[in-house]
Amino acid sequence: MKFHEMRQEDIEKAINTDYQQGLSSADAENRKKQYGYNQLEEAEKQSALLVFFSQFKDFMVLVLLAATLISGLLGEYIDAIAIIAIVVVNSFLGFFQERKAEKSLQALKELSAPQVSVLRDGSWMKVHSKEVTIGDIIRFSSGDRIGADIRLIETNNLEIEESALTGESLPVLKTTKPLHGKGLNLGDMENMAFMGTLVTRGNGLGVVTSIGMNTAMGQIADMIQKAETMTTPLQRRLEELGKILITVALILTALVVGIGVLQGHDIYSMFLAGVSLAVAAIPEGLPAIVTVALSLGVQRMIKQKAIVRKLPAVETLGCASVICSDKTGTLTQNKMTVTKLWSAGRLWDVSGTGYVPQGDFFNGESRVSPSSDQSLKQLLTFGMLCNHAELVERDGELILDGDPTEGALLVAGMKAGLTRDALSTSFRIVKEFPFDSTRKMMTVVAEDAAGKLFAVTKGAPDVLVGKSASIIWDGKVQKANEAAFQAVEEAISGMSSNALRTIAIAYKPLNGQSLDLLTEASVEKEVTFIGLQGMIDPPRPEVKQAVRECRDAGIKTVMITGDHVLTAKAIAKQLGILKSNDRVMDGKALNEMEIEELEEIVEDVSVFARVSPEHKLKIVKALQNRGHIVAMTGDGVNDAPAIKTSDIGIAMGITGTDVAKESSSLVLLDDNFATIKSAIKEGRNIYENIRKFIRYLLASNVGEILVMLFAMLLALPLPLVPIQILWVNLVTDGLPAMALGLDKPEGDVMKRKPRHPKEGVFARGLGWKVVSRGFLIGGVTLLAFIIAYHQHPDQLEYAQTIAFATLVLAQLIHVFDCRSEVSVFSRNPFGNMYLVWAVLSSLLLMLVVIYLPGLQPIFHTVSIEPRDWLLIVGLSSIPTFLLAGSFFARKKQ
Ligand code: ATP
């Protein structure tokens, strides 16, 4: 069907829908069954089997398999089977880790998928874009991405950027009229909006005509949703490090094998030992564990209402040194209530809270009836007329549907007994110039019962004062005069310094003017000023504490708002953002400043007020030029460039537009500043946890290599047999390392300065810790072996079992050491129960391997006599307690 040629009412019939009520939910369900989901087909996913077998691509695994083959050929079947078993278990682990990482990344994608506002059963609701079906009525406004192909029914200055489809980057002004003409291409269909295109201005309403692969987008792009693989800088650095470690491990292994053969060990057992050692020493599991730690951390963030859209942000979060935050809704609750009204030199108070339309009007102490004062009544009526907000009843409660600022104006009007129904019989809205935060105004053109046209404008008072040619005073329209506007200025300052957000209302008769020729600029000038409405927007209670915690963590909070300077200042003071020496700057001052000048002072400014979204970019750049890592919040289309440029772009989950979300790396599900703080804390913790298991794994590997190397140098027999080394690699290294990835943050994680973004993996003494602990672990294991071998020179397997137990135990004790940057004693060992269970199960498995007669021949172990455990426990505690002791000694000095 050619929907662009049809009249709206014909489409309504053809698609069998209802423009007023939308589809019923039952009908929508049936249609979804009939037409399928509204989504583009995805690229083939890797099958589970493929992921499993891809584990075998790993070079070291292949070497192991070759070793198995050789053992098999040489008739060492037990060795061969044991190695195969370990390889398979290892592959399973790798497989599950990869799947888990992939699944959680997929879940993230789902969570950040766009939502669409649809009319169902007569009320508006938000649904996942894939739930939209043919016949749905959907609405959208600037910043939204269109969720399906639609025929437009209503447009208000609607402009859509369609470059994704047509290549044309200039937005197209949309209409609703039927179009005729041959060979219209997509770019010419001005009464249609297409899936995937972007609303850059205005708003509109339309009926869905095609979905999923039948949309224009679906037809040109078969596989649009390419899975993006994202790696973080740390992951990339670890990849680099991995290559170095492989080389070092291979050289050392070759050394062990070479020296062993020279010392007279037989070639086969040295070869097997070498291969096992190389497998154990190469931290091939590291990238997978890092991914799992990152994705588990990301899931913890979701629980705290922050969705990470780009994985690298997890790391950058830990480096953030400035958070630039919007005020309304992020630092404040965005629950507006009008409490003060001003018109023609008189001030009224309004009682009542929230969106309950019950309250009274007072002039000083005495209650007044709003209908008795003409200008007060006009102020309230026009505040309601130039307004989209609605109160809807849900579960017996009145809920606001729409912009909170407009909600406050609506409720103030309702408190005076005005109703939407009565208004719509007296006035008909014929045109609208929607609000945008650069203009800071909104205008509707209305027709009254007598057919007269007039415009009502509401917006930021300081902007509207400049547009006013007259003012209502003493019930009459008077020419703008200094005395009157002096009084207006005083009223604005009075309200703003009390943290009230102020909205001015004005009107303009348009008698005899042609509707089609009216423009924003012509209507929003020479207006008649009526008065002011002042509304409270209480700060979010948790923000003050969050701001303080950020300051302790070396992170500065900066408020950036479109609101009045005095309002911003008052709230910033309440929240502890504005301190006595800090500066406040407004949009005008920002305009006049070159970026270099701004750089000079930007670190002293903690409030930017009356700014437009475009200013945010300048602020971000100035801060970045001063070496800061900047987190920047935003919600609108115009915020997108600043969000993208900042180091951590943060979009609002509730009020944010699709464009803002798409440019961001973090989305706040609750729009709350405190959530940014939690995400930063989590980001720091994830990084610390990754450092913890890198430290653990590498120190363990160093220990494993050194024990073998020293034994060869000292012309001793092999202290560990290959299968034992593989076992240690799998059990002792794997489980506890994973558990370290789940560790809670150390108490002082938000007391430290932000990490430098260029900080290396081994910074802050980690390299020294790895080497020193590694040496000690290797040393005590060798010592245990030597002592046992000395006591039982004819029982090599006994000494090897003692060495095995010492190595395992030394690592399992050392893992607790890794939980702290300071000392093993600074943390409660039971603080991470995952780790306790991981260690206990590793211990149990070690005992099974040592004492179970069936396993002894496979693992070349013999039962250890109880008294020898004293030796094992004593020696294996040395690495941890020796260094902890040296820490205390240093502290005492
Ligand atoms: P923030 O940037 O912290 O979210 P904000 O919400 O106050 O601050 P804007 O939404 O850009 O910033 O609003 C700027 C000014 O425009 C407000 O101070 C108010 O005076 C005016 N304003 C806000 N919403 C509307 C609206 N719906 N209609 C008319 N004017 C509005």
Side-chain angles (χ1 to χ4, degrees):
M1 258 185 263
K2 292 190 168 165
F3 293 107
H4 63 278
E5 292 180 357
M6 293 166 71
R7 291 182 315 157
Q8 291 182 5
E9 47 278 26
D10 297 335
I11 300 174
E12 190 175 18
K13 272 195 218 107
I15 303 188
N16 193 13
T17 182
D18 180 335
Y19 290 169
Q20 257 61 52
Q21 296 293 312
L23 296 176
S24 70
S25 9
D27 192 6
E29 274 314 307
N30 285 337
R31 289 182 190 219
K32 258 187 280 168
K33 280 194 197 112
Q34 188 183 347
Y35 301 118
Y37 280 120
N38 174 35
Q39 56 192 6
L40 300 177
E41 270 159 29
E42 278 194 47
E44 274 293 297
K45 282 217 196 72
Q46 268 201 345
S47 76
L49 211 61
L50 219 68
V51 177
F52 179 70
F53 282 113
S54 70
Q55 305 297 318
F56 293 96
K57 281 197 311 229
D58 190 348
F59 171 68
M60 287 325 292
V61 175
L62 289 179
V63 174
L64 258 186
L65 287 175
T68 321
L69 198 71
I70 294 173
S71 329
L73 290 177
L74 292 175
E76 301 281 347
Y77 298 119
I78 294 185
D79 274 359
I81 291 169
I83 295 174
I84 271 281
I86 286 196
V87 170
V88 170
V89 173
N90 223 342
S91 303
F92 263 110
L93 269 186
F95 166 73
F96 283 122
Q97 279 169 355
E98 245 181 61
R99 278 255 122 169
K100 178 146 185 63
E102 192 189 299
K103 279 226 176 89
S104 40
L105 291 180
Q106 182 63 31
L108 276 186
K109 222 171 103 192
E110 294 262 314
L111 266 173
S112 48
Q115 301 249 313
V116 177
S117 190
V118 303
L119 182 65
R120 295 249 176 101
D121 301 311
S123 50
W124 288 102
M125 58 179 75
K126 290 239 170 201
V127 300
H128 195 296
S129 67
K130 75 174 189 195
E131 305 289 336
V132 168
T133 190
I134 291 178
D136 263 329
I137 312 299
I138 65 179
R139 68 177 179 191
F140 35 83
S141 54
S142 112
D144 288 345
R145 215 170 258 289
I146 302 286
D149 282 2
I150 53 183
R151 167 67 155 86
L152 297 166
I153 312 173
E154 225 179 273
T155 58
N156 285 309
N157 275 19
L158 178 67
E159 287 184 12
I160 299 188
E161 195 255 294
E162 300 179 330
S163 61
L165 272 182
T166 60
E168 171 58 57
S169 59
L170 278 185
V172 181
L173 182 68
K174 294 287 178 179
T175 65
T176 54
K177 298 193 183 87
L179 294 171
H180 296 285
K182 279 218 172 83
L184 287 187
N185 49 36
L186 292 178
D188 302 326
M189 295 192 187
E190 288 159 3
N191 58 8
M192 300 282 296
F194 301 101
M195 182 190 231
T197 58
L198 195 68
V199 184
T200 50
R201 197 151 186 267
N203 53 43
L205 196 81
V207 52
V208 175
T209 53
S210 13
I211 58 167
M213 293 307 280
N214 290 327
T215 58
M217 185 64 96
Q219 280 163 15
I220 59 164
D222 282 339
M223 286 180 293
I224 207 92
Q225 300 175 357
K226 280 187 217 92
E228 233 180 287
T229 44
M230 283 185 285
T231 51
T232 74
L234 177 68
Q235 281 175 306
R236 286 193 291 275
R237 234 178 285 152
L238 282 179
E239 252 167 51
E240 291 296 309
L241 177 74
K243 284 182 199 142
I244 301 173
L245 289 177
I246 289 181
T247 320
V248 175
L250 287 179
I251 293 174
L252 288 177
T253 309
L255 218 61
V256 171
V257 175
I259 299 172
V261 173
L262 285 180
Q263 301 277 20
H265 290 280
D266 76 283
I267 293 182
Y268 166 69
S269 58
M270 279 322 293
F271 164 73
L272 219 50
V275 170
S276 319
L277 197 55
V279 170
I282 291 169
E284 75 286 346
L286 206 54
I289 303 186
V290 171
T291 311
V292 171
L294 282 170
S295 61
L296 288 177
V298 163
Q299 268 155 30
R300 281 198 300 273
M301 286 196 196
I302 294 177
K303 286 208 187 100
Q304 290 162 358
K305 304 219 178 314
I307 294 185
V308 174
R309 290 190 65 252
K310 296 178 186 148
L311 213 48
V314 178
E315 268 173 50
T316 328
L317 271 171
C319 309
S321 58
V322 178
I323 307 173
C324 295
S325 172
D326 283 345
K327 172 179 71 68
T328 311
T330 313
L331 298 168
T332 64
Q333 300 182 11
N334 209 2
K335 286 199 185 115
M336 313 260 182
T337 316
V338 171
T339 57
K340 288 213 185 286
L341 298 164
W342 182 95
S343 180
R346 276 165 301 158
L347 193 65
W348 294 272
D349 290 297
V350 189
S351 66
T353 48
Y355 297 116
V356 184
Q358 282 162 12
D360 294 309
F361 294 77
F362 298 87
N363 190 345
E365 293 292 305
S366 50
R367 184 185 302 178
V368 291
S369 157
S371 53
S372 64
D373 189 301
Q374 192 52 29
S375 46
L376 174 60
K377 197 172 158 206
Q378 205 172 24
L379 179 66
L380 292 165
T381 310
F382 285 176
M384 242 172 112
L385 196 62
C386 181
N387 192 321
H388 279 295
E390 262 174 83
L391 287 187
V392 287
E393 201 179 311
R394 215 165 280 161
D395 304 328
E397 224 185 298
L398 280 179
I399 306 226
L400 173 72
D401 181 13
D403 172 25
T405 303
E406 297 188 350
L409 301 178
L410 170 74
V411 170
M414 289 169 81
K415 284 176 182 167
L418 301 169
T419 63
R420 265 267 138 88
D421 287 346
L423 273 189
S424 54
T425 47
S426 317
F427 306 104
R428 196 166 67 90
I429 304 288
V430 287
K431 202 172 179 98
E432 180 189 325
F433 299 105
F435 173 75
D436 79 55
S437 22
T438 306
R439 231 167 80 246
K440 300 187 173 45
M441 284 186 289
M442 162 183 176
T443 299
V444 292
V445 178
E447 193 182 52
D448 66 13
K452 282 196 181 133
L453 276 190
F454 65 100
V456 177
T457 303
K458 73 178 198 309
D462 30 339
V463 180
L464 218 47
V465 163
K467 309 265 176 200
S468 301
S470 51
I471 183 166
I472 299 248
W473 206 277
D474 292 333
K476 286 191 233 67
V477 177
Q478 298 198 359
K479 257 190 125 198
N481 60 75
E482 213 167 291
F485 281 108
Q486 179 72 26
V488 174
E489 294 295 346
E490 277 166 20
I492 300 172
S493 307
M495 288 187 188
S496 306
S497 343
N498 281 316
L500 295 190
R501 177 186 182 83
T502 44
I503 294 283
I505 313 272
Y507 80 103
K508 176 174 179 155
L510 298 169
N511 300 340
Q513 300 201 26
S514 153
L515 194 58
D516 287 342
L517 296 179
L518 295 177
T519 62
E520 223 166 70
S522 71
V523 173
E524 291 173 351
K525 74 170 189 205
E526 291 163 8
V527 297
T528 303
F529 195 91
I530 303 175
L532 301 167
Q533 300 210 24
M535 51 192 80
I536 49 161
D537 176 17
R540 288 178 180 267
E542 60 281 24
V543 167
K544 195 170 178 181
Q545 166 76 5
V547 169
R548 190 175 319 128
E549 278 179 49
C550 284
R551 178 168 300 124
D552 290 346
I555 306 162
K556 178 178 166 143
T557 307
V558 175
M559 175 192 278
I560 300 188
T561 176
D563 222 335
H564 196 277
V565 175
L566 293 175
T567 315
K569 230 169 148 176
I571 293 180
K573 263 196 200 139
Q574 282 177 20
L575 291 173
I577 292 173
L578 187 68
K579 294 283 176 197
S580 51
N581 292 331
D582 292 352
R583 293 176 66 157
V584 178
M585 215 174 162
D586 66 9
K588 269 199 216 109
L590 265 175
N591 278 339
E592 287 158 11
M593 234 178 226
E594 290 300 320
I595 182 122
E596 293 77 18
E597 291 172 84
L598 180 59
E599 265 174 61
E600 294 289 314
I601 54 158
V602 71
E603 286 175 315
D604 302 329
V605 185
S606 46
V607 175
F608 290 93
R610 272 291 185 252
V611 292
S612 304
E614 292 74 12
H615 289 125
K616 287 184 170 177
L617 190 60
K618 202 165 172 182
I619 300 171
V620 168
K621 284 192 174 151
L623 283 164
Q624 284 176 331
N625 291 350
R626 298 289 303 197
H628 285 285
I629 301 294
V630 185
M632 166 66 86
T633 70
D635 45 17
V637 197
N638 306 345
D639 289 332
I643 295 183
K644 244 189 210 148
T645 309
S646 67
D647 302 276
I648 306 152
I650 305 173
M652 300 299 137
I654 305 170
T655 56
T657 55
D658 294 342
V659 186
K661 288 183 194 161
E662 284 164 18
S663 327
S664 71
S665 40
L666 194 75
V667 175
L668 305 181
L669 286 179
D670 58 357
D671 292 10
N672 189 344
F673 177 84
T675 306
I676 306 177
K677 182 223 67 192
S678 311
I680 288 183
K681 186 171 178 185
E682 197 54 68
R684 288 188 174 193
N685 185 34
I686 294 173
Y687 191 84
E688 290 308 314
N689 282 353
I690 292 176
R691 270 171 63 93
K692 287 176 195 169
F693 61 68
I694 289 179
R695 173 177 165 191
Y696 173 67
L697 281 179
L698 294 190
S700 301
N701 291 355
V702 170
E704 288 154 25
I705 293 193
L706 288 185
V707 66
M708 299 293 276
L709 185 65
F710 289 150
M712 294 304 99
L713 284 173
L714 295 174
L716 292 168
L718 283 179
L720 296 162
V721 296
I723 190 79
Q724 291 167 351
I725 300 175
L726 289 176
W727 189 93
V728 171
N729 182 45
L730 182 71
V731 181
T732 321
D733 293 354
L735 277 180
M738 297 282 275
L740 277 179
L742 294 169
D743 208 10
K744 295 194 187 76
E746 268 196 283
D748 64 348
V749 74
M750 285 299 270
K751 297 264 183 309
R752 302 178 198 153
K753 294 269 156 290
R755 171 169 50 86
H756 193 280
K758 296 232 162 61
E759 180 186 292
V761 182
F762 295 117
R764 288 181 274 141
L766 196 82
W768 159 247
K769 281 181 181 146
V770 165
V771 174
S772 57
R773 266 60 158 191
F775 255 90
L776 282 169
I777 292 173
V780 295
T781 308
L782 191 66
L783 200 61
F785 175 73
I786 293 174
I787 295 173
Y789 191 51
H790 191 70
Q791 284 172 352
H792 315 271
D794 49 340
Q795 293 175 30
L796 178 59
E797 288 204 336
Y798 190 78
Q800 284 171 330
T801 311
I802 297 252
F804 170 65
T806 311
L807 179 67
V808 170
L809 214 58
Q811 293 189 2
L812 292 183
I813 296 174
H814 173 233
V815 75
F816 289 98
D817 200 9
C818 298
R819 290 186 61 217
S820 169
E821 294 273 330
V822 191
S823 146
V824 66
F825 300 113
S826 70
R827 302 202 70 181
N828 172 5
F830 298 103
N832 178 354
M833 286 314 283
Y834 296 109
L835 187 62
V836 173
W837 288 118
V839 166
L840 284 179
S841 39
S842 294
L843 274 179
L844 189 71
L845 286 170
M846 172 189 76
L847 293 176
V848 168
V849 167
I850 293 177
Y851 286 104
L852 210 69
L855 291 178
Q856 284 177 338
I858 300 177
F859 286 90
H860 303 269
T861 48
V862 276
S863 304
I864 295 175
E865 286 174 25
R867 67 183 165 83
D868 284 333
W869 279 106
L870 272 179
L871 172 78
I872 296 169
V873 173
L875 282 176
S876 55
S877 325
I878 288 178
T880 295
F881 293 105
L882 193 71
L883 286 157
S886 77
F887 164 77
F888 280 114
R890 251 183 294 134
K891 215 172 166 188
K892 262 191 180 162
Q893 276 172 10

